[in-house]
Amino acid sequence: MEKVKKVNVEKGYYLFKLEQILADKKISINKLMKDTNTDYKVVKRLMNGDMIRIDIIVLARLCDYLDCNMTDIFEYIRN
């Protein structure tokens, strides 16, 4: 089962893919939190697409740790 969360917005949608990346790399949420010093709520919001703002410092930390690009974690697709 793919673990990507789609969040519709007015002129497109966001795909939040952090849960899929963690599953593919076999990394637990707890390990990610501990190794990147990131709060549980922040990680869950990035997984669920339950965000208002994105902290670019946290995003850079996650990208470095997961060896990926920002668009691997989430992306915006216009209609």
Side-chain angles (χ1 to χ4, degrees):
M1 179 175 136
E2 195 164 311
K3 299 175 181 198
V4 175
K5 175 74 176 180
K6 181 179 179 181
V7 177
N8 292 309
V9 291
E10 186 177 336
K11 295 187 178 186
Y13 59 92
Y14 284 95
L15 294 176
F16 289 87
K17 304 178 276 188
L18 182 58
E19 186 175 3
Q20 185 66 53
I21 293 170
L22 295 178
D24 291 347
K25 294 181 180 265
K26 296 178 176 54
I27 299 171
S28 71
I29 294 172
N30 287 333
K31 180 167 177 48
L32 178 71
M33 289 169 31
K34 180 182 172 213
D35 292 351
T36 63
N37 193 32
T38 304
D39 186 69
Y40 177 78
K41 290 178 185 177
V42 172
V43 172
K44 287 303 282 186
R45 286 180 184 141
L46 268 171
M47 291 173 74
N48 297 330
D50 214 12
M51 306 196 64
I52 296 171
R53 293 182 193 99
I54 296 174
D55 185 331
I56 59 172
I57 303 301
V58 170
L59 190 57
R61 190 181 319 138
L62 295 177
C63 287
D64 288 341
Y65 180 77
L66 296 168
D67 190 29
C68 68
N69 294 311
M70 177 183 69
T71 55
D72 296 325
I73 296 175
F74 77 95
E75 67 180 303
Y76 173 68
I77 299 169
R78 294 187 330 184
N79 290 335

